[in-house]
Amino acid sequence: MAYTGVASPGGPADVRELDALTIRKASVGPMDNNAYLLTCRRTGAQLLVDAAADADRLLELIREGSPQARLDAVVTTHRHRDHIGALTSILAVTGARALAGADDAQAIGEAADVHVEGRVHHGATVPLGDLALEVIALRGHTPGSIALAYREPRDARAPEAVPGRTHLFTGDSLFPGGPGRTSGGDDFDSLMDDLQRRVFDTLPDDTWVYPGHGRDTTLGAERPHLEEWRARRW
């Protein structure tokens, strides 16, 4: 079935098969958090974006990608508690590494009582088997909020100048309809500036956005509203 980006708590994962990567989107917990399992199709390496809640459901999701429940890493997009509710259990069961934005890592480690081994900065790469994800810092929702970008390899049948599509996992920094919540003031300006420079000025309209809650979107759908967001301040 075609990927729709729609998932609901207790329901099945929505699955997107790319040439080199499989993306599984599931919704968990009372806050309807999205968790994304990324699987390198050649090596079987797996990475979970946000062990948000419902460890049993997330373990099922991991086994959907690997019957042996292989999990190499959990990347937490930011420090808020609704994104780390199952982190302790998932790390204990799978032995995966914990990674997070450098400025949120200590708070995540203390809240979940785990060791955040990988403290990543803007521009770093996170390996996933043969593949790599780029870290994009989006400061404002929290000081260490990050997004992860996966760029598909260029289609050999396409003109050389045409890159593969980008898939962007934004946590709570970008949703359909606007940026994530901030305390206003400097935090809002910081988030909007990072979104403008590091996302909208850099990535094309067909970039697919996978947010921390709710349905997906594309940069092309959101780009016309940037000035509206700045004017309304949310």
Side-chain angles (χ1 to χ4, degrees):
M1 295 180 63
Y3 177 81
T4 64
V6 177
S8 58
D14 199 11
V15 181
R16 179 170 234 167
E17 295 278 4
L18 308 177
D19 287 347
L21 179 73
T22 299
I23 301 168
R24 291 177 171 85
K25 176 180 182 176
S27 175
V28 293
M31 299 293 289
D32 193 10
N33 285 74
N34 294 327
Y36 299 93
L37 181 72
L38 312 183
T39 307
C40 173
R41 297 186 65 180
R42 197 190 75 80
T43 67
Q46 297 203 123
L47 179 150
L48 182 68
V49 180
D50 285 341
D54 195 347
D56 289 341
R57 175 66 187 101
L58 292 181
L59 287 170
E60 290 178 1
L61 182 70
I62 292 163
R63 293 189 186 99
E64 290 174 20
S66 167
Q68 297 77 32
R70 173 180 178 175
L71 187 67
D72 298 83
V74 179
V75 175
T76 302
T77 58
H78 63 286
R79 67 174 68 177
H80 287 160
R81 288 188 174 272
D82 65 311
H83 287 256
I84 61 173
L87 183 59
T88 307
S89 297
I90 293 298
L91 296 180
V93 172
T94 64
R97 300 172 63 224
L99 296 88
D103 289 335
D104 274 9
Q106 181 175 342
I108 291 167
E110 291 173 353
D113 193 22
V114 299
H115 173 55
V116 180
E117 178 181 345
R119 301 184 175 209
V120 297
H121 297 267
H122 177 69
T125 56
V126 176
L128 178 61
D130 289 343
L131 312 176
L133 308 169
E134 179 188 349
V135 176
I136 300 175
L138 298 173
R139 302 158 294 183
H141 184 65
T142 66
S145 290
I146 59 172
L148 294 176
Y150 168 69
R151 291 178 171 83
E152 292 186 65
R154 184 184 66 83
D155 187 340
R157 298 164 296 181
E160 188 170 349
V162 178
R165 189 176 207 174
T166 299
H167 300 261
L168 187 65
F169 302 86
T170 58
D172 285 2
S173 291
L174 178 63
F175 294 101
R181 177 180 57 83
T182 68
S183 61
D186 291 345
D187 286 343
F188 174 81
D189 291 330
S190 174
L191 178 54
M192 282 301 303
D193 288 348
D194 279 354
L195 284 170
Q196 181 83 58
R197 291 194 301 262
R198 298 176 173 181
V199 174
F200 286 94
D201 287 353
T202 304
L203 300 173
D205 281 353
D206 67 351
T207 297
W208 197 275
V209 176
Y210 304 81
H213 303 266
R215 293 178 179 243
D216 301 352
T217 187
T218 64
L219 291 189
E222 306 305 324
R223 192 183 302 277
H225 307 289
L226 287 172
E227 292 309 313
E228 172 191 337
W229 301 348
R230 284 194 184 272
R232 75 187 188 194
R233 304 292 296 172
W234 58 271

